[in-house]
Amino acid sequence: MRTALCDLLGIEYPILQGAMAHITDGKFAAAVSNAGALGVIQCGFDTPEYMREQIQICRSLTDKPFGVNLIMENDRIDEIADVCIEEGVQICTVSAGNPATIVPKLAEAGIKAIVLIPHARAAKKMEKLGAAAVVCEGLEGGGHIGSMTTLPLIAQVVEEVNIPVIAAGGIATGRGLLGALAMGCVGVQMGTVFLTSDECTVSDVYKQLIVDSKDNATVLSGVPGKKQVRCIKNPFTDGFWERYYAGVPEEELYDYCTGSIARAHNGDYEGGAFSAGMISPVIKEVKPVAKIVTDIMAEADAAWEDMKRIYG
Amino acid sequence: MRTALCDLLGIEYPILQGAMAHITDGKFAAAVSNAGALGVIQCGFDTPEYMREQIQICRSLTDKPFGVNLIMENDRIDEIADVCIEEGVQICTVSAGNPATIVPKLAEAGIKAIVLIPHARAAKKMEKLGAAAVVCEGLEGGGHIGSMTTLPLIAQVVEEVNIPVIAAGGIATGRGLLGALAMGCVGVQMGTVFLTSDECTVSDVYKQLIVDSKDNATVLSGVPGKKQVRCIKNPFTDGFWERYYAGVPEEELYDYCTGSIARAHNGDYEGGAFSAGMISPVIKEVKPVAKIVTDIMAEADAAWEDMKRIYG
């Protein structure tokens, strides 16, 4: 299997690792890139100095391409973009907020900007601004979510833009990858499956919650109509909704959520916000990153053989 | 293209037409079956007598297989199942409510029961009860919705049952069909695309709303946590949410919704609840049912050629 995304980014397999705040640092991204997919360093609300350090760590650990995620809500995002340019980063993913100024800046510097978009209108706008590709992330994805689901989003976007389209949200298997290619995408972005890797630094409690999940294991938390996050349903999310429906003031709700991400990473089952995608129940074990990637590719190849039988 | 669903149901193309209340009657289902897909007669809250009449109309208009949808919430569903048995119906889809008694009854009578399921646990239960196949319908579908989206739902279900799995919700194109097959499904169920057919009896206003829709055109209406319906966003849905957030009592909300489906069918833009899937914006024209089906199959074949290039 070789898609236009492999050629565009110089990677072996058409898989991007989703940037996850406080998790996918330079060391982690290097592990993913060494496995033949594209590792992506998160930026969260980190400083330009921290980002430079992570980029350098990543480069010291891999000679393969890697990316840096730029979150538009980071107050110092322009400086971080400058760091990427200075450090010779080749690929940036851009998410959360309005990327209208950063995309042309990256494109001008020769950095391939891959932009997360919520609908076809935004995809067309990003194409005009010089984006190299777009990621369509459906609301089934973990963490911060949009308002459309993956299938109708990609169906619309592949028809409306000429740049490559990457599917995200609800995909963690080789079959999901092959399905995205069948629908006209050039590859996929996956988050949750990389969260359950040996190399991931979150606690074993977090990984095991995903491995043990069944059926519709995730819920949203966060005030409806404002930013919401998809998490594994647990006492923390139950508590959020109890408070919300009891009419607790928003300020108190924010207080309730403060620290919940760190608590999840540290394995506090009761109090953590365990961001994860709706695809969690298909993930059955914690594996090394390299095995995650090779298993996905082997599954995709097997699914391809099944499809050849359908077409006789 | 020939899948296990074609063999199971004796149809040419692996496409089920989703049953739509008050819309997909015997005449409409016959048009779909004559096009090589599976037409399905809706039951809504109709009587056994009406259903017998529609089954006979359908049979008089096609010699191809067709199905009857059984909604468990219809008070006389057992009698309607008896009518299906007496009339020699070969295929029933079963939805909305608990199908635990009706599925074994249908299976015993030799009728293939295809059950809509909301999660993998239900799929496994239906397999044990004798269902011939399951439909995984994601919340991106039009009308009444579940709580999971199509991609993670089918990814889980194909791994957990041995009976054929059909994808629904967010699919209206040949690429969507091919994507579902790549993910291990044997076919798809489509609703919205058949709503925009020449043969469909809803007003042109309804069809044009779908054709003109863009981006994230649909919203849910209905009390959160209770039954919700996906509709095209319009003054009716805006009015619903204004009332809901103003704290209007539930009884008044129900009054507000009463008659809204009929108003949509009659073309009342302001007051109608225009059920439609999130996939609506990919539908660009109103066509005869036969052309809808052949266009989808041609698109799927073209997408297949694209995939062959990916695999070199």
Side-chain angles (χ1 to χ4, degrees):
Chain A
M1 180 199 297
R2 187 157 186 92
T3 76
L5 190 66
C6 302
D7 298 329
L8 177 70
L9 305 182
I11 53 178
E12 195 174 353
Y13 306 122
I15 300 171
L16 270 64
Q17 160 247 305
M20 293 177 276
H22 314 297
I23 296 176
T24 60
D25 58 11
K27 188 178 172 192
F28 188 84
V32 175
S33 288
N34 282 330
L38 187 81
V40 179
I41 303 172
Q42 65 86 35
C43 87
F45 294 98
D46 289 313
T47 63
E49 295 71 29
Y50 175 84
M51 292 307 293
R52 190 185 301 274
E53 183 184 277
Q54 294 303 318
I55 291 165
Q56 292 174 350
I57 289 172
C58 189
R59 184 172 300 113
S60 75
L61 295 171
T62 185
D63 54 8
K64 302 211 171 160
F66 63 89
V68 176
N69 178 233
L70 303 178
I71 291 187
M72 298 310 300
E73 289 159 346
N74 184 309
D75 285 342
R76 301 180 68 185
I77 200 64
D78 267 324
E79 291 170 76
I80 295 173
D82 289 334
V83 167
C84 291
I85 294 167
E86 290 158 21
E87 292 291 329
V89 167
Q90 300 291 314
I91 303 157
C92 284
T93 61
V94 183
S95 55
N98 184 356
T101 57
I102 212 106
V103 170
K105 175 178 178 161
L106 295 170
E108 201 169 309
I111 297 180
K112 296 179 183 87
I114 302 177
V115 188
L116 270 81
I117 53 87
H119 44 55
R121 192 174 69 246
K124 283 157 79 170
K125 188 172 172 196
M126 290 305 127
E127 181 178 32
K128 272 191 194 157
L129 289 174
V134 287
V135 176
C136 297
E137 182 163 22
L139 61 83
E140 47 269 79
H144 289 285
I145 62 149
S147 60
M148 293 188 69
T149 71
T150 306
L151 276 182
L153 182 56
I154 63 182
Q156 289 182 39
V157 174
V158 294
E159 291 191 2
E160 302 212 10
V161 300
N162 294 309
I163 53 175
V165 177
I166 297 158
I171 302 173
T173 64
R175 283 198 176 282
L177 166 58
L178 198 70
L181 301 184
M183 286 182 282
C185 297
V186 296
V188 296
Q189 178 180 289
M190 299 182 177
T192 310
V193 73
F194 286 113
L195 198 53
T196 53
S197 63
D198 286 335
E199 289 87 341
C200 180
T201 54
V202 300
S203 76
D204 290 344
V205 170
Y206 198 156
K207 298 176 192 178
Q208 201 59 38
L209 266 177
I210 293 170
V211 168
D212 291 343
S213 66
K214 290 199 184 353
D215 298 325
N216 190 8
T218 64
V219 292
L220 297 180
S221 75
V223 176
K226 305 207 171 172
K227 287 215 175 142
Q228 292 192 298
V229 176
R230 181 172 302 285
C231 302
I232 299 282
K233 185 177 186 298
N234 73 338
F236 167 78
T237 61
D238 291 345
F240 179 86
W241 290 110
E242 274 165 30
R243 285 165 177 77
Y244 176 78
Y245 283 114
V248 162
E250 273 194 30
E251 200 173 306
E252 267 182 59
L253 289 173
Y254 288 122
D255 287 347
Y256 177 73
C257 295
T258 300
S260 60
I261 294 173
R263 290 196 293 273
H265 292 188
N266 295 332
D268 172 2
Y269 173 68
E270 304 283 327
F274 295 88
S275 282
M278 211 186 263
I279 196 67
S280 294
V282 308
I283 298 167
K284 303 293 189 198
E285 53 174 330
V286 177
K287 294 188 282 198
V289 161
K291 186 155 170 52
I292 289 173
V293 173
T294 52
D295 282 356
I296 287 168
M297 296 312 298
E299 280 168 29
D301 290 346
W304 172 247
E305 294 304 317
D306 288 348
M307 284 199 83
K308 284 201 280 191
R309 279 190 285 277
I310 289 171
Y311 264 96
Chain B
M1 180 199 296
R2 189 157 185 90
T3 75
L5 190 66
C6 302
D7 298 330
L8 177 71
L9 305 182
I11 54 179
E12 195 174 352
Y13 306 121
I15 300 171
L16 270 65
Q17 159 247 306
M20 291 177 275
H22 315 296
I23 297 176
T24 59
D25 58 10
K27 188 178 171 190
F28 188 86
V32 176
S33 288
N34 283 330
L38 187 81
V40 179
I41 304 171
Q42 65 87 33
C43 89
F45 293 98
D46 290 314
T47 63
E49 297 72 28
Y50 174 85
M51 292 306 294
R52 190 186 301 274
E53 185 185 275
Q54 294 303 318
I55 291 166
Q56 291 174 353
I57 288 171
C58 190
R59 185 172 300 114
S60 74
L61 296 171
T62 185
D63 55 6
K64 302 210 172 163
F66 63 89
V68 176
N69 179 234
L70 303 178
I71 290 188
M72 299 312 300
E73 288 160 348
N74 183 310
D75 285 342
R76 300 178 68 186
I77 200 65
D78 268 323
E79 291 170 75
I80 295 173
D82 288 336
V83 167
C84 290
I85 294 168
E86 289 159 23
E87 292 291 328
V89 167
Q90 300 291 311
I91 303 157
C92 284
T93 60
V94 184
S95 55
N98 184 356
T101 57
I102 212 106
V103 169
K105 175 179 178 161
L106 295 170
E108 202 170 308
I111 297 179
K112 295 178 184 88
I114 301 177
V115 187
L116 271 80
I117 53 86
H119 44 54
R121 191 174 69 245
K124 283 157 78 170
K125 188 174 173 193
M126 291 305 127
E127 180 178 32
K128 272 193 193 156
L129 289 173
V134 287
V135 177
C136 298
E137 183 165 21
L139 60 82
E140 46 269 79
H144 290 287
I145 62 148
S147 61
M148 291 188 70
T149 71
T150 305
L151 275 183
L153 182 55
I154 62 182
Q156 289 182 39
V157 174
V158 294
E159 291 192 1
E160 301 214 9
V161 301
N162 294 307
I163 54 175
V165 177
I166 297 158
I171 301 172
T173 64
R175 283 198 176 280
L177 166 57
L178 198 69
L181 301 185
M183 287 183 281
C185 296
V186 296
V188 295
Q189 177 179 290
M190 298 182 179
T192 310
V193 73
F194 286 113
L195 199 53
T196 53
S197 62
D198 286 336
E199 289 88 340
C200 180
T201 54
V202 300
S203 77
D204 289 344
V205 170
Y206 198 154
K207 297 176 191 178
Q208 201 59 38
L209 267 177
I210 293 171
V211 167
D212 291 342
S213 67
K214 291 200 181 350
D215 298 325
N216 191 10
T218 65
V219 291
L220 298 180
S221 75
V223 176
K226 304 206 171 172
K227 283 211 178 145
Q228 292 192 297
V229 176
R230 182 173 303 283
C231 301
I232 298 283
K233 185 177 187 300
N234 73 339
F236 167 78
T237 62
D238 291 345
F240 179 86
W241 290 110
E242 274 166 29
R243 286 165 175 77
Y244 176 78
Y245 283 115
V248 162
E250 272 194 31
E251 202 174 304
E252 269 182 55
L253 288 173
Y254 287 122
D255 286 347
Y256 177 74
C257 295
T258 300
S260 60
I261 294 172
R263 289 196 294 273
H265 292 187
N266 296 331
D268 173 2
Y269 173 69
E270 303 283 328
F274 294 89
S275 282
M278 209 186 266
I279 196 68
S280 293
V282 306
I283 298 167
K284 302 292 187 199
E285 53 174 330
V286 177
K287 295 187 280 198
V289 161
K291 184 150 170 56
I292 289 173
V293 173
T294 53
D295 283 356
I296 288 168
M297 296 311 299
E299 281 167 28
D301 290 347
W304 173 246
E305 294 304 318
D306 288 346
M307 284 198 82
K308 283 201 281 191
R309 279 190 285 276
I310 288 171
Y311 265 97

